[in-house]
Amino acid sequence: MKRKIGFVYECLLAGLIIFSLSAELPEREDYVLGWFIWGLFAVDYVIRLMLSKNKWGFVKNHPIELLALIPVDQLFRTLRLIRLIRLVRLILVVKRNNSLLDLLIEKYRFDKLFITVIALLFLTAIPMAWIEPSFDSYGDALWWTVVTTTTVGYGDLYPETTVGRLIASVLMFVGIGLIGVVTGTVASLFSNKKTDLPDQLKYVRDK
Amino acid sequence: MKRKIGFVYECLLAGLIIFSLSAELPEREDYVLGWFIWGLFAVDYVIRLMLSKNKWGFVKNHPIELLALIPVDQLFRTLRLIRLIRLVRLILVVKRNNSLLDLLIEKYRFDKLFITVIALLFLTAIPMAWIEPSFDSYGDALWWTVVTTTTVGYGDLYPETTVGRLIASVLMFVGIGLIGVVTGTVASLFSNKKTDLPDQLKYVRDK
Amino acid sequence: MKRKIGFVYECLLAGLIIFSLSAELPEREDYVLGWFIWGLFAVDYVIRLMLSKNKWGFVKNHPIELLALIPVDQLFRTLRLIRLIRLVRLILVVKRNNSLLDLLIEKYRFDKLFITVIALLFLTAIPMAWIEPSFDSYGDALWWTVVTTTTVGYGDLYPETTVGRLIASVLMFVGIGLIGVVTGTVASLFSNKKTDLPDQLKYVRDK
Amino acid sequence: MKRKIGFVYECLLAGLIIFSLSAELPEREDYVLGWFIWGLFAVDYVIRLMLSKNKWGFVKNHPIELLALIPVDQLFRTLRLIRLIRLVRLILVVKRNNSLLDLLIEKYRFDKLFITVIALLFLTAIPMAWIEPSFDSYGDALWWTVVTTTTVGYGDLYPETTVGRLIASVLMFVGIGLIGVVTGTVASLFSNKKTDLPDQLKYVRDK
Ligand SMILES: [K+]
Ligand SMILES: [K+]
């Protein structure tokens, strides 16, 4: 099962690389996206630094990551290839946090939930983009599935066809189920002995 | 109590058959609906195939279901009677998953909740369609009850009359209760011993 | 504390009587409201009938309630005084279910939560109706507080002033807390022994 | 860790003082804000009065707070400096309730969650105000982050750029996680022995 999730990740990351290199984002959005990915990377680096026992050893053992912290892409943001730096960062963050993810998967069987929700978001967007007249693109439909599954429901986009509403209803109840699973997991984390958590973090820390 | 739920199912399925054979859906929606039901059926088939110990035996023992996997209705989609194939599939899926549903009902007393929520969605839609000037049809009102109970609330439809708002308030608190029950069940599943789940799945697998 | 809740109820019921006798509802809404209250009363009667051990004894011991089941107000709905019948029914339902409510209050300390949420809904509506230009009446503001606290958020009404948004933010986090308390209570109900529930229902049944 | 939270508080309070003295609120909003802060203070005072064993002693030992209960700022509301009274009240409320907050932090590790959510609300508002054409000010963006994280989603403001939608998606899943943590904490409070709560309140009462 771990391999399958690994595969899903590879696909998502490959998709991100293609999207990142081909997308024609407006300058401001591109700039924000760059800092956003840099922020994710920096937070990941700082958290791992704080969790490690030998802080100086951690800095010495991860020289490339320290280098990657320099926001070089913000300086030359017209260069398209510079975007690859962002992706390398993003991949590093995701790879690192796999250890936390593996923990969630092993202990709480999040694997099927995770794949199901991701798949539902991306798959249901396909027919919705096709049958709904107000959904102009696949990106629109994907945005709508996220807004619906999280039960936020801005109302900027909503289905108007009968079949679209049927699919939307399924997504909404999936959303309630999602909240239930997240809440249930957190609740069982809280009700368990508190001393377990640091032990579990050790597992993350060692990587 | 089981018989009553069985009866509710029969009614829902009968309603679906009548709706499916009489509805004049636009071509695209009809096409998506066909693949949607086929997808439900295929997922159901694959899950049961994976849960069964003797995979080849499973395929041999369910020849009609294998036949029903051929997306024949997508090929001749102008024929109205071909829609019956979809319904046979849908009924098979629902009947099979009754075993999972029975489990939920027996262990977690979901029966009353299930009937109550379904009844509330369909019943409250009746007066709303009648008194709300912006709710054009019963379908509109039913869509609104789903959007409200799941607390998504797009805002494409909302009550404007005093009594409509009163009924809506009741539905919203039912929605919060629904989230609570789903979450509570999931939380108790997580806090119970993990080894129980496969045992419970055996119950589903045997059917 | 029980007395205080009793007092809150008396006030709410008195408010309902005054509202019911003075409100000039359109005919359709009035009609739906009549059936809505009748439905609440009928559901309450049937549930108690089913919970009682001696069914025939229950029917004989509650002759007035059986009489009140006749939908007399639906037949002569132009008469204003006939609305009092609805109120008598509503009061009977609320009084009966006090026994269930007392259970919730004693076991789960819902009393403070209950009063707090009711008070917040009614009190925050006052300044909102006053400072928000798009909130035309107190009824509008009250509708908005319900829509916000349940996190539905249709978007038909939303605050535009700075202070209004500040108050709204408080209400939203109260809403999340409300979901948390409802969910937490249900979760603890599920995680406790299942055999307790019928015992608790006995308490309700005896009344 | 406590010191850091203390520091976050000092910053928030300093920001409030500056905002309160510089903001040019319309008269009505200013009036409502005054009563809102007074209400918080009064509720805080009454709760602590009711929790204290020696009520008369409590009144005598807190003479300044009794003085601050006089709604002097509502009488002379044109004076700008009178707003400082509101702030002194607000600070007193926050300082007092720190004891309750410390309890939450010590027992349930709310510290990181608390700082993370506050930081996310304020930080994500910065790029959103910059890249989203419909977000006119930082205040607008901050209002949008609150509406999104609580999953209310009025739809008065919603992101239209690709990167804005990406950031919004992250916020929504944070919102679901927030609901999960609040619910999980409440659920563990309910599932623990009920007798603990008064003991915990003693801790608050002594201050
Ligand atoms: K919503
Ligand atoms: K909404």
Side-chain angles (χ1 to χ4, degrees):
Chain A
M1 187 49 79
K2 255 186 197 175
R3 277 196 194 164
K4 276 182 214 165
I5 295 177
F7 182 70
V8 169
Y9 263 119
E10 307 299 324
C11 290
L12 276 176
L13 287 173
L16 262 169
I17 289 171
I18 293 161
F19 174 78
S20 180
L21 290 176
S22 64
E24 277 297 344
L25 286 173
E27 205 182 328
R28 276 194 182 182
E29 289 186 47
D30 192 75
Y31 189 62
V32 166
L33 185 65
W35 279 110
F36 184 69
I37 291 170
W38 181 85
L40 277 180
F41 183 76
V43 164
D44 180 68
Y45 185 85
V46 168
I47 286 174
R48 282 190 299 130
L49 179 63
M50 281 167 74
L51 282 176
S52 68
K53 281 165 195 166
N54 181 3
K55 316 234 169 211
W56 183 238
F58 178 84
V59 175
K60 274 201 293 190
N61 286 328
H62 299 76
I64 302 155
E65 302 199 0
L66 195 66
L67 254 162
L69 268 174
I70 306 164
V72 72
D73 54 331
Q74 270 76 35
L75 305 175
F76 313 94
R77 74 192 124 102
T78 45
L79 256 77
R80 176 149 304 210
L81 266 161
I82 229 82
R83 283 183 185 166
L84 271 174
I85 294 170
R86 288 182 199 169
L87 278 163
V88 171
R89 273 184 199 141
L90 200 62
I91 289 163
L92 280 170
V93 172
V94 173
K95 288 276 175 198
R96 287 291 162 204
N97 289 310
N98 262 343
S99 52
L100 184 64
L101 213 84
D102 288 351
L103 186 80
L104 283 173
I105 287 165
E106 270 173 48
K107 284 233 165 170
Y108 298 103
R109 300 170 178 222
F110 262 31
D111 49 355
K112 272 151 205 160
L113 175 86
F114 194 80
I115 292 184
T116 309
V117 169
I118 293 278
L120 258 169
L121 292 179
F122 281 83
L123 286 181
T124 52
I126 299 169
M128 295 307 279
W130 196 52
I131 56 170
E132 286 298 329
S134 57
F135 292 22
D136 290 333
S137 64
Y138 180 74
D140 261 26
L142 194 61
W143 165 242
W144 172 84
T145 58
V146 172
V147 169
T148 299
T149 312
T150 54
T151 74
V152 171
Y154 286 120
D156 54 340
L157 292 169
Y158 50 84
E160 283 157 303
T161 65
T162 310
V163 174
R165 284 174 172 186
L166 208 87
I167 295 172
S169 304
V170 173
L171 260 189
M172 287 170 198
F173 284 104
V174 168
I176 286 187
L178 174 67
I179 294 175
V181 172
V182 170
T183 304
T185 314
V186 174
S188 74
L189 267 172
F190 275 105
S191 63
N192 291 346
K193 310 237 152 39
K194 295 282 146 40
T195 46
D196 286 359
L197 208 66
D199 274 339
Q200 293 173 352
L201 281 175
K202 238 182 249 163
Y203 180 69
V204 180
R205 196 196 299 156
D206 294 349
K207 249 204 173 168
Chain B
M1 185 49 80
K2 256 188 199 175
R3 275 195 196 166
K4 277 183 213 164
I5 294 176
F7 182 69
V8 170
Y9 263 118
E10 307 299 323
C11 290
L12 276 175
L13 287 174
L16 262 169
I17 288 173
I18 293 161
F19 173 78
S20 179
L21 290 175
S22 64
E24 277 296 345
L25 286 173
E27 206 184 329
R28 276 194 182 182
E29 289 187 47
D30 192 75
Y31 190 62
V32 165
L33 184 64
W35 279 110
F36 184 69
I37 291 170
W38 181 86
L40 277 180
F41 182 76
V43 164
D44 179 68
Y45 185 85
V46 168
I47 286 174
R48 282 190 299 130
L49 179 64
M50 281 167 75
L51 282 176
S52 68
K53 281 165 195 164
N54 180 4
K55 316 237 168 207
W56 183 240
F58 178 84
V59 175
K60 273 202 291 190
N61 286 327
H62 300 76
I64 302 156
E65 302 200 358
L66 194 67
L67 253 163
L69 268 174
I70 305 164
V72 71
D73 54 330
Q74 270 76 34
L75 304 175
F76 312 94
R77 76 193 124 101
T78 45
L79 254 77
R80 176 149 304 208
L81 267 162
I82 228 82
R83 281 184 186 165
L84 271 174
I85 294 169
R86 288 183 199 167
L87 278 163
V88 172
R89 271 183 199 141
L90 200 62
I91 289 163
L92 280 170
V93 171
V94 173
K95 287 277 175 195
R96 289 288 162 204
N97 289 310
N98 262 343
S99 52
L100 185 65
L101 214 84
D102 288 351
L103 185 81
L104 284 172
I105 286 164
E106 270 173 48
K107 283 234 163 166
Y108 298 104
R109 302 168 178 224
F110 261 32
D111 51 355
K112 272 151 204 160
L113 175 85
F114 193 81
I115 291 183
T116 309
V117 169
I118 293 278
L120 258 169
L121 292 179
F122 281 83
L123 287 179
T124 52
I126 299 168
M128 295 307 279
W130 196 52
I131 58 171
E132 286 299 329
S134 58
F135 291 22
D136 290 333
S137 63
Y138 181 73
D140 261 27
L142 193 61
W143 164 244
W144 172 85
T145 58
V146 171
V147 169
T148 299
T149 312
T150 55
T151 75
V152 170
Y154 287 120
D156 53 340
L157 293 168
Y158 49 85
E160 282 157 303
T161 64
T162 310
V163 174
R165 285 175 171 185
L166 207 88
I167 295 172
S169 303
V170 173
L171 260 189
M172 288 171 198
F173 284 104
V174 168
I176 286 187
L178 174 67
I179 294 175
V181 171
V182 170
T183 305
T185 313
V186 175
S188 74
L189 266 173
F190 275 106
S191 62
N192 290 346
K193 308 239 150 42
K194 294 283 148 40
T195 46
D196 286 359
L197 209 64
D199 275 339
Q200 293 173 353
L201 280 176
K202 239 183 250 164
Y203 179 69
V204 180
R205 197 195 299 156
D206 294 347
K207 248 204 175 170
Chain C
M1 187 47 82
K2 257 187 200 177
R3 276 194 195 166
K4 276 182 212 162
I5 294 176
F7 183 69
V8 170
Y9 263 118
E10 307 298 323
C11 290
L12 276 176
L13 286 174
L16 262 170
I17 289 172
I18 293 161
F19 173 79
S20 178
L21 291 176
S22 64
E24 277 297 344
L25 285 173
E27 205 185 328
R28 277 194 181 183
E29 290 187 46
D30 192 75
Y31 189 62
V32 166
L33 185 65
W35 279 110
F36 183 69
I37 291 169
W38 180 85
L40 278 180
F41 182 75
V43 164
D44 179 68
Y45 185 84
V46 168
I47 286 174
R48 283 190 298 131
L49 179 64
M50 281 167 75
L51 283 175
S52 69
K53 281 166 196 166
N54 180 2
K55 314 235 168 207
W56 183 239
F58 178 85
V59 175
K60 274 201 293 191
N61 287 327
H62 299 77
I64 302 156
E65 301 200 359
L66 194 67
L67 254 162
L69 268 174
I70 305 163
V72 71
D73 53 331
Q74 271 77 34
L75 303 175
F76 313 93
R77 75 194 124 100
T78 44
L79 254 79
R80 176 148 305 210
L81 267 162
I82 227 82
R83 282 184 186 164
L84 271 175
I85 294 170
R86 287 182 199 170
L87 279 162
V88 171
R89 273 185 198 140
L90 200 62
I91 289 162
L92 279 170
V93 172
V94 172
K95 286 278 175 197
R96 287 290 162 202
N97 289 311
N98 262 343
S99 52
L100 184 64
L101 213 84
D102 288 351
L103 185 81
L104 284 172
I105 287 163
E106 270 174 46
K107 283 233 164 168
Y108 298 103
R109 302 170 176 222
F110 261 31
D111 50 354
K112 273 151 203 159
L113 174 85
F114 194 80
I115 292 184
T116 310
V117 169
I118 293 278
L120 258 170
L121 292 178
F122 281 83
L123 286 180
T124 52
I126 299 168
M128 294 307 279
W130 196 52
I131 58 171
E132 286 298 329
S134 57
F135 292 21
D136 290 333
S137 64
Y138 180 73
D140 261 26
L142 193 61
W143 164 243
W144 171 85
T145 57
V146 171
V147 169
T148 298
T149 313
T150 55
T151 75
V152 171
Y154 287 120
D156 53 339
L157 294 169
Y158 50 84
E160 283 157 302
T161 65
T162 309
V163 174
R165 285 175 170 184
L166 208 87
I167 295 172
S169 303
V170 172
L171 259 190
M172 287 171 199
F173 284 104
V174 167
I176 286 187
L178 174 67
I179 293 176
V181 171
V182 170
T183 304
T185 313
V186 174
S188 75
L189 266 173
F190 275 106
S191 63
N192 291 347
K193 308 240 152 40
K194 294 281 145 45
T195 46
D196 286 359
L197 208 66
D199 275 339
Q200 292 173 356
L201 282 176
K202 239 182 251 164
Y203 180 68
V204 179
R205 197 195 298 157
D206 293 348
K207 248 203 173 170
Chain D
M1 186 50 78
K2 256 187 199 177
R3 276 195 194 165
K4 276 182 214 164
I5 295 177
F7 182 69
V8 169
Y9 263 118
E10 307 299 323
C11 289
L12 276 176
L13 286 173
L16 263 169
I17 290 171
I18 293 161
F19 173 79
S20 179
L21 290 175
S22 64
E24 277 297 346
L25 286 173
E27 204 183 328
R28 277 194 182 183
E29 290 187 47
D30 192 76
Y31 189 62
V32 166
L33 185 65
W35 279 109
F36 183 69
I37 291 170
W38 181 86
L40 277 180
F41 182 76
V43 165
D44 179 68
Y45 184 85
V46 168
I47 286 174
R48 283 190 297 129
L49 179 62
M50 280 166 73
L51 283 176
S52 69
K53 281 165 195 166
N54 180 2
K55 316 238 167 207
W56 183 240
F58 178 86
V59 175
K60 274 201 293 190
N61 287 329
H62 300 77
I64 302 155
E65 302 200 359
L66 194 66
L67 253 162
L69 267 174
I70 305 163
V72 72
D73 52 332
Q74 270 77 33
L75 305 174
F76 313 95
R77 77 193 122 100
T78 43
L79 255 77
R80 175 147 307 208
L81 267 161
I82 228 82
R83 283 183 185 166
L84 271 174
I85 295 170
R86 289 181 198 171
L87 278 162
V88 170
R89 273 184 198 142
L90 201 61
I91 289 162
L92 280 170
V93 172
V94 173
K95 287 277 175 198
R96 287 291 162 201
N97 289 311
N98 262 343
S99 53
L100 184 64
L101 214 83
D102 289 351
L103 185 81
L104 283 173
I105 286 164
E106 270 173 47
K107 284 234 163 169
Y108 299 102
R109 301 169 178 220
F110 261 32
D111 51 354
K112 273 152 204 159
L113 174 85
F114 194 80
I115 292 184
T116 309
V117 169
I118 294 278
L120 258 169
L121 292 178
F122 281 83
L123 286 180
T124 52
I126 300 169
M128 293 308 279
W130 196 52
I131 58 170
E132 286 299 328
S134 58
F135 291 22
D136 291 332
S137 64
Y138 180 74
D140 262 26
L142 194 61
W143 164 243
W144 172 85
T145 57
V146 171
V147 169
T148 299
T149 312
T150 55
T151 75
V152 171
Y154 287 120
D156 54 340
L157 292 169
Y158 50 84
E160 282 157 303
T161 65
T162 309
V163 174
R165 285 175 171 185
L166 208 87
I167 295 171
S169 303
V170 173
L171 259 190
M172 286 171 200
F173 285 104
V174 168
I176 285 186
L178 174 66
I179 294 176
V181 171
V182 170
T183 303
T185 313
V186 174
S188 75
L189 267 172
F190 275 105
S191 63
N192 291 346
K193 308 242 152 37
K194 296 281 145 43
T195 45
D196 286 359
L197 207 65
D199 274 339
Q200 293 173 355
L201 281 176
K202 239 182 248 163
Y203 179 69
V204 179
R205 196 196 299 155
D206 294 347
K207 246 202 174 171

